Amino acid sequence: QVQLVESGGGSVQAGDSLRLSCAASGRTFNIYKYAWFRQAPGKERELAASITRDGISTNYADSVKERFTISRDNAKNMVYLQMNSLKPEDTAVYYCAAFPYGSGWSYGQGTRVTVSS
């Protein structure tokens, strides 16, 4: 099993930047992919960005392309989401997630990001 703890959320102005961090523990050696999901008020959870553990493949939602960058540090068991040029529509709870081989997504508790105009 994998445990995930997010940090770095907060309240910012439109155009600002934030970096979210996620500390992974437990059976991290079995993880195939990491991701950041987000859930805005009144909306379903959506995938914002993902990265394979080897770092070779990344994927971004169209709404965050060119503004968000996902990265990982396997030696530290950390996953990051650098968010630039934030918009009010980026306001959401952001969840770190891990996808182990042979299992489904595991999620952290989430960190709230609020972007005001």
Side-chain angles (χ1 to χ4, degrees):
Q1 206 166 9
V2 177
Q3 293 78 43
L4 303 162
V5 179
E6 304 94 336
S7 61
S11 296
V12 298
Q13 299 287 319
D16 287 350
S17 298
L18 271 179
R19 188 174 86 149
L20 305 183
S21 300
C22 172
S25 60
R27 296 172 63 87
T28 57
F29 63 89
N30 199 39
I31 293 172
Y32 165 65
K33 183 188 296 187
Y34 290 104
W36 287 94
F37 287 78
R38 65 183 186 179
Q39 187 165 17
K43 296 188 177 181
E44 294 189 355
R45 189 175 298 187
E46 65 172 1
L47 176 70
S50 67
I51 186 169
T52 51
R53 191 169 185 272
D54 59 14
I56 292 176
S57 179
T58 58
N59 184 49
Y60 295 92
D62 288 343
S63 58
V64 308
K65 278 180 182 176
E66 308 300 328
R67 299 188 299 121
F68 290 11
T69 302
I70 188 171
S71 61
R72 90 282 176 261
D73 184 333
N74 291 336
K76 296 180 179 179
N77 288 322
M78 295 293 294
V79 187
Y80 305 99
L81 185 67
Q82 177 66 42
M83 306 186 294
N84 298 329
S85 302
L86 283 161
K87 304 175 181 180
E89 50 264 44
D90 294 319
T91 294
V93 177
Y94 284 73
Y95 298 90
C96 179
F99 192 95
Y101 286 97
S103 183
W105 288 105
S106 294
Y107 296 94
Q109 293 299 306
T111 185
R112 186 174 301 276
V113 173
T114 303
V115 184
S116 56
S117 57

PDB file of all heavy atoms in Angstrom, residues 22-24 28 34 53 71-80:
ATOM      1  N   CYS A  22       4.275  16.339  -2.950  1.00  0.00           N
ATOM      2  CA  CYS A  22       3.620  15.124  -2.473  1.00  0.00           C
ATOM      3  C   CYS A  22       4.696  14.163  -1.992  1.00  0.00           C
ATOM      4  O   CYS A  22       5.608  13.817  -2.754  1.00  0.00           O
ATOM      5  CB  CYS A  22       2.798  14.494  -3.578  1.00  0.00           C
ATOM      6  SG  CYS A  22       2.107  12.871  -3.190  1.00  0.00           S
ATOM      7  N   ALA A  23       4.590  13.755  -0.746  1.00  0.00           N
ATOM      8  CA  ALA A  23       5.517  12.776  -0.183  1.00  0.00           C
ATOM      9  C   ALA A  23       4.869  11.400  -0.217  1.00  0.00           C
ATOM     10  O   ALA A  23       3.774  11.217   0.343  1.00  0.00           O
ATOM     11  CB  ALA A  23       5.883  13.159   1.244  1.00  0.00           C
ATOM     12  N   ALA A  24       5.523  10.454  -0.863  1.00  0.00           N
ATOM     13  CA  ALA A  24       5.013   9.090  -0.966  1.00  0.00           C
ATOM     14  C   ALA A  24       5.775   8.181  -0.017  1.00  0.00           C
ATOM     15  O   ALA A  24       6.980   8.342   0.178  1.00  0.00           O
ATOM     16  CB  ALA A  24       5.143   8.578  -2.398  1.00  0.00           C
ATOM     17  N   THR A  28       6.459   2.102  -2.474  1.00  0.00           N
ATOM     18  CA  THR A  28       6.693   3.007  -3.601  1.00  0.00           C
ATOM     19  C   THR A  28       7.418   2.318  -4.749  1.00  0.00           C
ATOM     20  O   THR A  28       7.335   2.765  -5.891  1.00  0.00           O
ATOM     21  CB  THR A  28       7.484   4.237  -3.150  1.00  0.00           C
ATOM     22  OG1 THR A  28       8.716   3.799  -2.560  1.00  0.00           O
ATOM     23  CG2 THR A  28       6.709   5.046  -2.122  1.00  0.00           C
ATOM     24  N   TYR A  34       2.597   8.318 -11.316  1.00  0.00           N
ATOM     25  CA  TYR A  34       2.083   9.313 -10.378  1.00  0.00           C
ATOM     26  C   TYR A  34       1.207  10.313 -11.144  1.00  0.00           C
ATOM     27  O   TYR A  34       1.381  10.499 -12.355  1.00  0.00           O
ATOM     28  CB  TYR A  34       3.221  10.099  -9.723  1.00  0.00           C
ATOM     29  CG  TYR A  34       4.068   9.323  -8.746  1.00  0.00           C
ATOM     30  CD1 TYR A  34       5.339   8.886  -9.097  1.00  0.00           C
ATOM     31  CD2 TYR A  34       3.606   9.062  -7.464  1.00  0.00           C
ATOM     32  CE1 TYR A  34       6.132   8.203  -8.186  1.00  0.00           C
ATOM     33  CE2 TYR A  34       4.390   8.373  -6.540  1.00  0.00           C
ATOM     34  CZ  TYR A  34       5.643   7.956  -6.915  1.00  0.00           C
ATOM     35  OH  TYR A  34       6.429   7.279  -6.009  1.00  0.00           O
ATOM     36  N   ARG A  53       6.800   6.611 -13.443  1.00  0.00           N
ATOM     37  CA  ARG A  53       7.829   6.644 -12.413  1.00  0.00           C
ATOM     38  C   ARG A  53       9.210   6.834 -13.008  1.00  0.00           C
ATOM     39  O   ARG A  53      10.089   7.447 -12.403  1.00  0.00           O
ATOM     40  CB  ARG A  53       7.787   5.375 -11.571  1.00  0.00           C
ATOM     41  CG  ARG A  53       8.638   5.439 -10.311  1.00  0.00           C
ATOM     42  CD  ARG A  53       8.348   4.275  -9.384  1.00  0.00           C
ATOM     43  NE  ARG A  53       9.076   4.397  -8.131  1.00  0.00           N
ATOM     44  CZ  ARG A  53      10.293   3.937  -7.937  1.00  0.00           C
ATOM     45  NH1 ARG A  53      10.924   3.312  -8.915  1.00  0.00           N
ATOM     46  NH2 ARG A  53      10.898   4.093  -6.771  1.00  0.00           N
ATOM     47  N   SER A  71       6.659  16.690 -12.016  1.00  0.00           N
ATOM     48  CA  SER A  71       7.987  16.078 -11.938  1.00  0.00           C
ATOM     49  C   SER A  71       8.026  15.153 -10.730  1.00  0.00           C
ATOM     50  O   SER A  71       7.139  15.185  -9.880  1.00  0.00           O
ATOM     51  CB  SER A  71       9.077  17.144 -11.834  1.00  0.00           C
ATOM     52  OG  SER A  71       8.907  17.923 -10.662  1.00  0.00           O
ATOM     53  N   ARG A  72       9.060  14.318 -10.684  1.00  0.00           N
ATOM     54  CA  ARG A  72       9.205  13.405  -9.549  1.00  0.00           C
ATOM     55  C   ARG A  72      10.675  13.261  -9.202  1.00  0.00           C
ATOM     56  O   ARG A  72      11.546  13.438 -10.042  1.00  0.00           O
ATOM     57  CB  ARG A  72       8.531  12.059  -9.823  1.00  0.00           C
ATOM     58  CG  ARG A  72       9.429  10.997 -10.480  1.00  0.00           C
ATOM     59  CD  ARG A  72       9.592  11.267 -11.958  1.00  0.00           C
ATOM     60  NE  ARG A  72      10.505  10.314 -12.560  1.00  0.00           N
ATOM     61  CZ  ARG A  72      11.777  10.592 -12.791  1.00  0.00           C
ATOM     62  NH1 ARG A  72      12.284  11.768 -12.477  1.00  0.00           N
ATOM     63  NH2 ARG A  72      12.564   9.694 -13.340  1.00  0.00           N
ATOM     64  N   ASP A  73      10.923  12.914  -7.953  1.00  0.00           N
ATOM     65  CA  ASP A  73      12.274  12.626  -7.477  1.00  0.00           C
ATOM     66  C   ASP A  73      12.187  11.270  -6.785  1.00  0.00           C
ATOM     67  O   ASP A  73      11.764  11.183  -5.634  1.00  0.00           O
ATOM     68  CB  ASP A  73      12.728  13.720  -6.514  1.00  0.00           C
ATOM     69  CG  ASP A  73      14.168  13.536  -6.041  1.00  0.00           C
ATOM     70  OD1 ASP A  73      14.644  12.365  -6.016  1.00  0.00           O
ATOM     71  OD2 ASP A  73      14.812  14.531  -5.689  1.00  0.00           O
ATOM     72  N   ASN A  74      12.554  10.225  -7.494  1.00  0.00           N
ATOM     73  CA  ASN A  74      12.405   8.874  -6.954  1.00  0.00           C
ATOM     74  C   ASN A  74      13.286   8.646  -5.722  1.00  0.00           C
ATOM     75  O   ASN A  74      12.919   7.904  -4.816  1.00  0.00           O
ATOM     76  CB  ASN A  74      12.728   7.832  -8.017  1.00  0.00           C
ATOM     77  CG  ASN A  74      11.691   7.804  -9.123  1.00  0.00           C
ATOM     78  OD1 ASN A  74      10.541   8.208  -8.931  1.00  0.00           O
ATOM     79  ND2 ASN A  74      12.090   7.344 -10.302  1.00  0.00           N
ATOM     80  N   ALA A  75      14.442   9.274  -5.686  1.00  0.00           N
ATOM     81  CA  ALA A  75      15.340   9.086  -4.543  1.00  0.00           C
ATOM     82  C   ALA A  75      14.705   9.608  -3.254  1.00  0.00           C
ATOM     83  O   ALA A  75      14.950   9.072  -2.172  1.00  0.00           O
ATOM     84  CB  ALA A  75      16.660   9.785  -4.800  1.00  0.00           C
ATOM     85  N   LYS A  76      13.883  10.658  -3.388  1.00  0.00           N
ATOM     86  CA  LYS A  76      13.231  11.246  -2.216  1.00  0.00           C
ATOM     87  C   LYS A  76      11.780  10.810  -2.087  1.00  0.00           C
ATOM     88  O   LYS A  76      11.099  11.202  -1.151  1.00  0.00           O
ATOM     89  CB  LYS A  76      13.289  12.774  -2.294  1.00  0.00           C
ATOM     90  CG  LYS A  76      14.691  13.355  -2.257  1.00  0.00           C
ATOM     91  CD  LYS A  76      14.654  14.876  -2.328  1.00  0.00           C
ATOM     92  CE  LYS A  76      16.056  15.446  -2.267  1.00  0.00           C
ATOM     93  NZ  LYS A  76      16.044  16.943  -2.371  1.00  0.00           N
ATOM     94  N   ASN A  77      11.297  10.021  -3.049  1.00  0.00           N
ATOM     95  CA  ASN A  77       9.883   9.632  -3.075  1.00  0.00           C
ATOM     96  C   ASN A  77       8.964  10.855  -3.036  1.00  0.00           C
ATOM     97  O   ASN A  77       8.011  10.899  -2.259  1.00  0.00           O
ATOM     98  CB  ASN A  77       9.554   8.676  -1.931  1.00  0.00           C
ATOM     99  CG  ASN A  77      10.140   7.296  -2.136  1.00  0.00           C
ATOM    100  OD1 ASN A  77      10.175   6.791  -3.257  1.00  0.00           O
ATOM    101  ND2 ASN A  77      10.614   6.674  -1.073  1.00  0.00           N
ATOM    102  N   MET A  78       9.277  11.819  -3.879  1.00  0.00           N
ATOM    103  CA  MET A  78       8.511  13.051  -3.945  1.00  0.00           C
ATOM    104  C   MET A  78       7.967  13.268  -5.353  1.00  0.00           C
ATOM    105  O   MET A  78       8.604  12.897  -6.345  1.00  0.00           O
ATOM    106  CB  MET A  78       9.376  14.246  -3.568  1.00  0.00           C
ATOM    107  CG  MET A  78       9.872  14.257  -2.126  1.00  0.00           C
ATOM    108  SD  MET A  78       8.534  14.479  -0.932  1.00  0.00           S
ATOM    109  CE  MET A  78       8.000  16.160  -1.320  1.00  0.00           C
ATOM    110  N   VAL A  79       6.799  13.875  -5.413  1.00  0.00           N
ATOM    111  CA  VAL A  79       6.180  14.260  -6.676  1.00  0.00           C
ATOM    112  C   VAL A  79       5.807  15.733  -6.562  1.00  0.00           C
ATOM    113  O   VAL A  79       5.367  16.181  -5.484  1.00  0.00           O
ATOM    114  CB  VAL A  79       4.917  13.429  -6.967  1.00  0.00           C
ATOM    115  CG1 VAL A  79       4.378  13.724  -8.366  1.00  0.00           C
ATOM    116  CG2 VAL A  79       5.206  11.945  -6.830  1.00  0.00           C
ATOM    117  N   TYR A  80       5.981  16.469  -7.638  1.00  0.00           N
ATOM    118  CA  TYR A  80       5.746  17.907  -7.593  1.00  0.00           C
ATOM    119  C   TYR A  80       4.812  18.333  -8.727  1.00  0.00           C
ATOM    120  O   TYR A  80       4.750  17.697  -9.780  1.00  0.00           O
ATOM    121  CB  TYR A  80       7.065  18.671  -7.726  1.00  0.00           C
ATOM    122  CG  TYR A  80       8.106  18.279  -6.713  1.00  0.00           C
ATOM    123  CD1 TYR A  80       9.114  17.386  -7.056  1.00  0.00           C
ATOM    124  CD2 TYR A  80       8.075  18.780  -5.418  1.00  0.00           C
ATOM    125  CE1 TYR A  80      10.076  17.011  -6.132  1.00  0.00           C
ATOM    126  CE2 TYR A  80       9.036  18.414  -4.484  1.00  0.00           C
ATOM    127  CZ  TYR A  80      10.031  17.538  -4.847  1.00  0.00           C
ATOM    128  OH  TYR A  80      10.980  17.159  -3.917  1.00  0.00           O
TER     129      TYR A  80
END
